[in-house]
């Protein structure tokens, strides 16, 4: 199974995706990936390099082409759990003003996940959790991104989990229950 975790910064994706991957003995991966393109993207995200938002969308799509080859290879032998994938591009880049049809067209090689866990969180709680990332100036932007994620959740049937007032352990338990439910039906 190909399982994706989505959500805004501070929603708990990395924590929960790692816990699930460990529990079900899956290969854990993330985007932007650790490919050369992914590393270049992180240089841009750090503010050291400035690019147009459409260029950034193209770079995330390029990273995803490389990353999807790796995911397909790993899926031959085990489940894959991925911390961010296609829907991060649709949510973040469309809120940044990039045309959604354009984003979908440049990501036509992306895999369709078997499960997408969308972790949602109260924005103030998210800001406190990731204070080191000084994302305060992105507060309004992240609220719009979370709204876009919820729109996508309706459209693509994501499993939505609110992590705001739940411990890491309780969120993991809820995710595991949802995973087992889907696994039994597969
Ligand atoms: N349910 C929770 N309750 C309290 N703290 C949490 C919870 N989930 C995660 N955290 C803490 O919040 C911080 C961010 O968690 P994590 O890195 O998993 O979020 P993220 O969604 O991957 O963020 P980013 O996209 O910025 O990487 C970490 O310090 C983590 O320990
Ligand atoms: C895959 C992907 C990511 N982003 C953004 C979302 C986050 O702000 C950063 C990644 O940070 P993280 O702490 O490693 O999660 O990149 C994006 O805008 N579009 C994408 O496709």
């Amino acid at each position: 199974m190909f399982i994706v975790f989505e959500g805004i910064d501070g929603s708990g994706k990395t924590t929960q995706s790692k816990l699930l991957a460990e529990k079900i003995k899956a290969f854990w991966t993330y985007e932007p990936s650790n490919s050369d393109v992914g590393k270049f993207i992180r240089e841009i995200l750090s503010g050291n390099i400035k690019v147009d938002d459409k260029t950034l969308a193209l770079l995330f799509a390029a990273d995803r082409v490389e990353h999807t080859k790796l995911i397909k290879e790993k899926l031959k032998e085990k489940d894959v759990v991925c911390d961010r994938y296609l829907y991060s591009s649709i949510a973040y880049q469309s809120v940044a003003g990039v045309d959604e049809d354009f984003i979908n067209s440049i990501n036509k090689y992306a895999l369709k996940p078997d499960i997408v866990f969308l972790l949602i969180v109260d924005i103030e709680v998210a800001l406190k959790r990731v204070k080191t990332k000084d994302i305060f100036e992105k507060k309004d932007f992240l609220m719009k991104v979370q709204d876009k994620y919820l729109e996508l959740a309706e459209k693509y049937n994501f499993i939505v989990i609110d992590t705001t007032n739940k411990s890491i352990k309780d969120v993991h338990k809820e995710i595991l229950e949802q995973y087992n439910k889907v696994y039994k039906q597969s």
Side-chain angles (χ1 to χ4, degrees):
M1 281 176 122
F2 179 36
I3 303 152
V4 168
F5 279 73
E6 292 284 3
I8 63 170
D9 310 54
S11 56
K13 296 178 307 306
T14 304
T15 303
Q16 294 301 332
S17 58
K18 283 183 175 175
L19 284 171
L20 180 67
E22 194 181 333
K23 184 74 180 175
I24 66 172
K25 296 181 176 43
F27 175 74
W28 179 80
T29 187
Y30 54 88
E31 291 191 349
S33 79
N34 65 351
S35 72
D36 290 340
V37 178
K39 288 177 188 145
F40 182 57
I41 292 172
R42 289 193 186 275
E43 267 298 292
I44 295 166
L45 296 176
S46 69
N48 295 341
I49 301 166
K50 290 272 178 270
V51 294
D52 180 89
D53 286 317
K54 285 192 285 299
T55 307
L56 188 55
L58 285 162
L59 287 167
F60 278 118
D63 179 44
R64 194 158 293 128
V65 167
E66 293 302 316
H67 190 219
T68 300
K69 280 194 293 191
L70 171 69
I71 292 168
K72 282 181 177 170
E73 263 316 293
K74 294 296 180 183
L75 281 171
K76 288 176 187 165
E77 60 193 61
K78 55 172 62 178
D79 289 339
V80 172
V81 175
C82 190
D83 177 1
R84 291 192 184 286
Y85 194 61
L86 166 62
Y87 302 104
S88 283
S89 280
I90 300 175
Y92 281 80
Q93 274 63 67
S94 70
V95 171
V98 181
D99 176 69
E100 193 168 334
D101 289 341
F102 172 73
I103 299 166
N104 279 308
S105 68
I106 60 176
N107 281 284
K108 67 180 183 183
Y109 299 112
L111 276 179
K112 185 179 182 314
D114 297 292
I115 306 176
V116 178
F117 286 109
L118 172 60
L119 305 188
I120 60 171
V121 61
D122 174 89
I123 191 72
E124 299 301 338
V125 171
L127 296 176
K128 286 197 186 87
R129 287 179 184 172
V130 285
K131 48 190 173 307
T132 49
K133 283 182 80 175
D134 68 350
I135 58 171
F136 187 78
E137 73 282 358
K138 292 187 350 186
K139 179 176 172 182
D140 289 347
F141 176 79
L142 289 175
M143 286 172 80
K144 290 187 183 123
V145 170
Q146 186 155 266
D147 288 345
K148 184 65 186 177
Y149 265 133
L150 287 166
E151 195 188 294
L152 296 172
E154 278 292 304
K155 187 173 176 184
Y156 298 112
N157 202 23
F158 295 172
I159 297 173
V160 182
I161 294 177
D162 191 333
T163 70
T164 306
N165 297 311
K166 293 172 190 161
S167 70
I168 288 172
K169 192 171 160 226
D170 286 347
V171 174
H172 173 58
K173 187 164 170 281
E174 195 174 335
I175 286 169
L176 213 45
E177 282 163 6
Q178 292 289 346
Y179 166 82
N180 287 327
K181 217 185 279 179
V182 174
Y183 187 80
K184 285 196 182 94
Q185 288 161 3
S186 63

